[in-house]
Each structure stands twice: as structure tokens, then as C-alpha cells.
Amino acid sequence: MRVGVFIACLVPFLLLVWAAGAGSLGPDPAEAIMHSTGEWSLRILVLTLLIAPLRQYWKWPVLLKLRRMLGLYTFFYATVHLASFAHFYVGWTAAILLEELIERPYITAGFVAWLVMVPLAVTSTKSMQRALGRSWLRLHQLIYLTAVLGCLHLIWQARSDVTEAAVYTVIVLLLLAWRLRRWRLRRSTAPATSSGAS
């Protein structure tokens, strides 16, 4: 299952590379690359957030083994997305990037979302998880901030049609609401559990 998911996540990138080599990305290849990598980053991020509720309802322990892979693929596509922007639109010039960050909020949101993902990717290994202990869980809760920033990035850059941005935002908000509800249930049952155990 893990191999199948790995290949499935890689296929969009391979198809994009093939289309670029074949010159079939349309009249604006840079825009096509930007759109595709950004969209796949957000899609896989949503799948990553879906792992916890799916595991609770379907009782499939194997799903947890997919979460790290999906998270790293989210970072991979986001990195290609950012690198494409830096190459095609900024020309790897720090001054132009700074100007874009100041003048365009959606670029700021996207850039901050990528920065938040960097420590999550770096600490995704099992050895880092053991080394950080409980701090690892708190650190990786930043994925929720990344999801919100990703939605803001999409909403703010939308022009006339915000349907796609709205769909992603609703899905992310529902997934975050599910986690908030579960957290509240755990807090409400913790004292009763403790008193019953004593």
C-alpha cells in the first residue's frame, strides 16, 4: 500500500516533467507549473489531515504509516512551487522577492506556509521523533497553521472565481473542527478517567 501511495503521489510530478519536455504546457508554461505544483501540494496536505479521522472510523493502523510520506510529498510539491516562482517570476533575486512579499499578501502567506513546513520536514524521521519526545507532537501541530495559510494563499490570489479556494477552505475547516472537537472531548473525559482510575 505504501509503495502504491508513493507512486500515486509522484505521478503528477512525472506527468508535469513530461509535459514540460514535450512543450505541451500551453501558452504560459510557467503558470501551468506554478498552478499544478501548488494545487498538488494543497491536495496532499488535505489527504495528510484526513489520515487521523479515517483511522479513527475505519480502524486501519496502516494509515498512520502513510502520514509522514504524505507530509513529505506536501513539502516536496510546495518546494517545487516556490522554486518555480523564484525562477520564473523573481529570477532568484532577493530584492524582488522581498518586494513581492511586501506588496502581495498571498505570496507572503504562501512563503510563510513553506517556512513553517521546513522544520516539520527536517524532523519527520523516527530518530527526530524519539529525540524530541512530546515536543515533536507540539511542533508537528504547526501543520494546521500551514493548512490555514495555504487556504489564505489560494483565496487571496483568486480573482473572479473563488470556487476552488472555497472548496479547499471548507474541507480544511471541517478537518480542523473535527480535531478541535476531539481535543475538547479528551479534556472533558480526562478528569473522570483519572478519578475512576484512582
Side-chain angles (χ1 to χ4, degrees):
M1 185 175 184
R2 294 178 66 182
V3 174
V5 173
F6 180 89
I7 294 173
C9 290
L10 185 60
V11 165
F13 177 73
L14 296 179
L15 291 176
L16 187 63
V17 171
W18 178 85
S24 57
L25 287 177
D28 192 347
E31 177 63 25
I33 293 172
M34 288 281 295
H35 180 78
S36 177
T37 53
E39 190 166 0
W40 276 107
S41 178
L42 193 52
R43 285 174 179 172
I44 299 175
L45 175 57
V46 168
L47 290 177
T48 305
L49 295 177
L50 267 173
I51 292 293
L54 289 179
R55 179 179 178 272
Q56 176 172 331
Y57 293 123
W58 290 350
K59 310 298 182 184
W60 290 354
V62 69
L63 289 174
L64 284 180
K65 297 180 180 180
L66 302 176
R67 188 160 56 186
R68 180 174 62 175
M69 182 194 305
L70 291 175
L72 288 173
Y73 261 117
T74 299
F75 179 69
F76 168 74
Y77 279 103
T79 301
V80 176
H81 182 68
L82 176 62
S84 301
F85 173 74
H87 181 74
F88 293 118
Y89 295 98
V90 177
W92 301 100
T93 304
I96 298 178
L97 175 61
L98 181 60
E99 182 180 345
E100 292 288 328
L101 289 172
I102 293 173
E103 294 182 356
R104 304 180 190 273
Y106 75 90
I107 294 178
T108 306
F111 186 67
V112 173
W114 180 82
L115 288 178
V116 171
M117 281 191 283
V118 172
L120 305 187
V122 171
T123 60
S124 64
T125 62
K126 291 183 178 179
S127 60
M128 288 299 298
Q129 185 174 356
R130 288 192 297 267
L132 293 174
R134 290 180 178 271
S135 299
W136 187 89
L137 291 173
R138 290 193 292 270
L139 174 64
H140 279 253
Q141 287 176 349
L142 288 173
I143 191 69
Y144 309 144
L145 174 60
T146 300
V148 172
L149 289 170
C151 290
L152 288 175
H153 174 67
L154 193 58
I155 290 170
W156 283 339
Q157 73 173 335
R159 294 178 176 86
S160 56
D161 188 3
V162 297
T163 303
E164 182 183 27
V167 170
Y168 279 113
T169 302
V170 169
I171 294 173
V172 167
L173 290 178
L174 287 174
L175 290 170
L176 295 183
W178 179 87
R179 283 167 167 79
L180 179 61
R181 179 176 178 273
R182 186 176 63 164
W183 176 76
R184 287 179 173 174
L185 286 174
R186 285 180 175 179
R187 283 181 61 90
S188 64
T189 58
T193 303
S194 300
S195 60
S198 62

